Amino acid sequence: RQMCIRDSTKAIEETFGAPLLENYLPLEGGVSSPGIYKISIHNKAYVLRLSHRNRTLKDEERSITCMQLSAQRGLSPKVYYANPQSRVTITDFIDSKPLSQKGRLQGKKLLKLASTIRKLHNG
C-alpha cells in the first residue's frame, strides 16, 4: 500500500505540479477495482485509479491502451497520466447525470447515443 501512495503522489506532482490533493473521495460501485478516487486539484475534479498489484504488466498495458484510444475517439475521459509499471492513471472526472422521466432518450440525446455506439463499433 505504501508503494501505491508514493506512486500516486509522484503522478500528481508530475502531472499537475501539485504535491497535495485538495480533496479525495473513494468511488464505489460498478466493476472497477477498489483503488479508485475522485480527487480535486486546482478546483477541478479528476479520477485517480490505483490498479491491483496482482494484475500482470501486460493486462495493465492493455487497459491503459484501451483508455487512451477511447479518450482519443471522444468516448471516455481524457487521460492525463498513465504508467503501467506504477499502475497509476489519472483521468478527467465526469459527473453522472441520470435521465429523469422527462429526459428520456429522444431527439438529440438519442442521436448522440447512436453516434457514440457507432464510434464504439468502428473503434
Side-chain angles (χ1 to χ4, degrees), residues 55-105:
R55 289 189 71 190
T56 66
L57 183 59
K58 187 174 182 175
D59 285 342
E60 194 63 26
E61 288 171 340
R62 183 175 57 245
S63 292
I64 288 172
T65 298
C66 289
M67 290 167 69
Q68 291 170 328
L69 289 172
S70 179
Q72 288 170 4
R73 288 179 173 83
L75 297 170
S76 64
K78 179 180 177 179
V79 178
Y80 291 91
Y81 181 91
N83 185 319
Q85 286 79 25
S86 68
R87 292 164 164 68
V88 174
T89 57
I90 300 173
T91 63
D92 270 330
F93 175 81
I94 298 177
D95 204 6
S96 64
K97 295 179 186 172
L99 293 174
S100 66
Q101 277 297 90
K102 293 179 183 178
R104 290 182 298 242
L105 289 175

Side-chain angles (χ1 to χ4, degrees), residues 26-27 32-37 50 52:
L27 295 176
S32 301
S33 62
I36 298 180
Y37 303 89
L50 309 174
H52 287 289

Side-chain angles (χ1 to χ4, degrees), residues 1-9 50-51 53 86 88:
R1 192 76 180 146
Q2 184 70 19
M3 182 63 86
C4 288
I5 293 168
R6 187 171 51 239
D7 290 340
S8 62
T9 301
L50 309 174
S51 184
R53 291 284 173 197
S86 68
V88 174

Side-chain angles (χ1 to χ4, degrees), residues 9-23:
T9 301
K10 181 181 175 187
I12 291 165
E13 287 176 354
E14 285 181 21
T15 307
F16 303 105
L20 298 174
L21 298 175
E22 296 165 10
N23 192 9

